[in-house]
Amino acid sequence: MRTLCASTLIGEFFVIGFAGLVAMKDPDLSVSTVWTVSGIAMFLCLLLCGLVTRPGGIALGWALQVVLIASGFVVPSMFFLGAAFAALWWASVHYGRKIDEAKARFAAQAEASTPDAA
């Protein structure tokens, strides 16, 4: 699960950076505000890559997805991109758990079929 979720978060890291570039064109927003918010969100993406397997890591990932969708109020294309990444996040969590369960089953079967070395 960690690999899939981290891949999604790295993709979001880049999308947030590009959205920051788009948001800079808005005359109502200061450059420092745009890059402070974008930088914090980008940092959280990287931080969550390491926290995804810890308790609360998935919930923090979902919170990031909500914030990413809500950023569509500043950069309208982020409504679509945020929804797309929320779908990718769901798939990463859902299928990542299935892969982890299958790996655990396979490892248990392999261990059970190995003769004792006594």
Side-chain angles (χ1 to χ4, degrees), residues 3-69:
T3 303
L4 289 173
C5 291
S7 299
T8 301
L9 290 166
I10 293 299
E12 286 184 66
F13 172 87
F14 288 108
V15 167
I16 292 167
F18 291 131
L21 291 172
V22 173
M24 278 182 25
K25 294 182 180 180
D26 188 341
D28 296 333
L29 300 173
S30 72
V31 173
S32 61
T33 301
V34 167
W35 287 115
T36 299
V37 172
S38 295
I40 290 170
M42 292 168 77
F43 174 75
L44 286 175
C45 286
L46 295 178
L47 182 67
L48 280 173
C49 286
L51 295 177
V52 76
T53 57
R54 302 212 190 256
I58 299 298
L60 287 173
W62 279 115
L64 181 66
Q65 304 314 309
V66 169
V67 169
L68 197 62
I69 293 169

Side-chain angles (χ1 to χ4, degrees), residues 1 91-105:
M1 176 173 67
S92 297
V93 172
H94 178 76
Y95 292 111
R97 285 182 176 154
K98 286 187 176 217
I99 290 169
D100 289 348
E101 290 169 4
K103 282 182 178 179
R105 268 194 318 273

